[in-house]
Amino acid sequence: GLDPADQSRTDCTLNEFAQIFVNDTKGHKKPNSITKEQSMIDRHILPRVGKYMVSEVSTIDVTRLLNAIATQAKPISIKTGQ
């Protein structure tokens, strides 16, 4: 599985790490889940922080990213899930 402390995984960009993550978790998820996850990564995460090294990302960086994503998110209907 993924170990964020693994040196080979911290000496790469978040873009590279995202590909490792997706490839490592493919066998444990349904195809639809993989597609949705890849879409979220491609649309929300990589454009903002994909160029940064994994080892350089701090907790505050993640908090800022999540806040930015949350402010752009559309409300989801409880009834339809969309």
Side-chain angles (χ1 to χ4, degrees):
L2 287 173
D3 178 6
D6 182 352
Q7 188 66 32
S8 66
R9 308 230 180 187
T10 59
D11 286 342
C12 63
T13 64
L14 282 169
N15 192 19
E16 295 164 331
F17 184 81
Q19 282 310 127
I20 293 168
F21 171 80
V22 169
N23 290 335
D24 281 0
T25 60
K26 275 185 181 177
H28 309 287
K29 297 178 182 177
K30 294 179 182 178
N32 193 36
S33 296
I34 295 167
T35 301
K36 285 182 181 180
E37 197 169 76
Q38 184 71 58
S39 175
M40 287 187 285
I41 290 169
D42 291 344
R43 200 170 54 180
H44 298 292
I45 299 171
L46 296 183
R48 290 182 172 97
V49 295
K51 65 184 176 186
Y52 296 105
M53 298 297 290
V54 171
S55 59
E56 297 173 342
V57 178
S58 68
T59 304
I60 193 73
D61 294 326
V62 174
T63 301
R64 287 180 181 149
L65 172 66
L66 293 174
N67 287 337
I69 292 169
T71 59
Q72 290 183 337
K74 297 178 188 175
I76 296 175
S77 167
I78 294 173
K79 232 179 195 180
T80 65
Q82 299 179 7

